[in-house]
Amino acid sequence: MAAVKDIFHYLDNIAPFATQLDFDNAGFLVGRGDRQVHRLLVSLDITEEVAREAVERGAELVVSHHPVIFHPAKSVTDADPVGRTLLALIEGGVAAICAHTNLDMAQGGVNTCLAERLQLKQVRMLKEYEHSGLPEGLIGETDHPYTPKEFAAFV
């Protein structure tokens, strides 16, 4: 059995949270690190519905791509969607780990997976993130002569 903090450290080894872009808020954002995880839910975003589903399914952790707390919270109440989401997580005993730009840039991360799914060849760094040397974006070529409309349909 793994604790929330163990899962956080595992993800940190794959996509170091220290490499997130300056504007981002990736990391262990909600909950208790020593909470044992028997069940976790994976999502793109943590919305009210996702928080509710995590509680209903008995998950102790939600791992999402986009941060549940992106801008500094001035309050956590039921008056707005972010507050309601955070309250649902906390009251349900559900932790949240969010891996955003650190996962985008990681070797084998989101950018790499997208390039592979798009069947790009000769993939290389489009732009290097200045502080880490990691690829902020990738570029590549395709063997198929798509028109813009065909490529949009393929994507």
Side-chain angles (χ1 to χ4, degrees), residues 96-108:
I97 297 173
C98 305
H100 188 213
T101 55
N102 60 309
L103 185 59
D104 289 342
M105 297 183 294
Q107 181 65 30

Side-chain angles (χ1 to χ4, degrees), residues 7 9 52 75 94 123:
I7 295 169
H9 292 303
R52 195 169 24 253
S75 65
V94 180
V123 177

Side-chain angles (χ1 to χ4, degrees), residues 30-104:
V30 177
R32 298 185 181 277
D34 60 353
R35 177 85 192 252
Q36 293 297 304
V37 178
H38 301 88
R39 182 174 288 169
L40 68 86
L41 184 77
V42 177
S43 67
L44 180 62
D45 295 294
I46 302 178
T47 61
E48 292 178 64
E49 295 78 16
V50 168
R52 195 169 24 253
E53 181 180 354
V55 172
E56 288 170 1
R57 292 181 179 264
E60 295 87 6
L61 173 63
V62 177
V63 176
S64 77
H65 186 56
H66 295 126
V68 65
I69 304 169
F70 195 76
H71 301 291
K74 294 185 179 187
S75 65
V76 178
T77 70
D78 61 358
D80 64 80
V82 173
R84 287 190 297 272
T85 301
L86 293 172
L87 285 170
L89 291 170
I90 294 165
E91 291 170 349
V94 180
I97 297 173
C98 305
H100 188 213
T101 55
N102 60 309
L103 185 59
D104 289 342

Side-chain angles (χ1 to χ4, degrees), residues 107-120 123 154:
Q107 181 65 30
V110 175
N111 291 343
T112 304
C113 290
L114 287 172
E116 288 173 3
R117 186 73 175 135
L118 293 171
Q119 302 171 2
L120 297 180
V123 177
F154 172 68

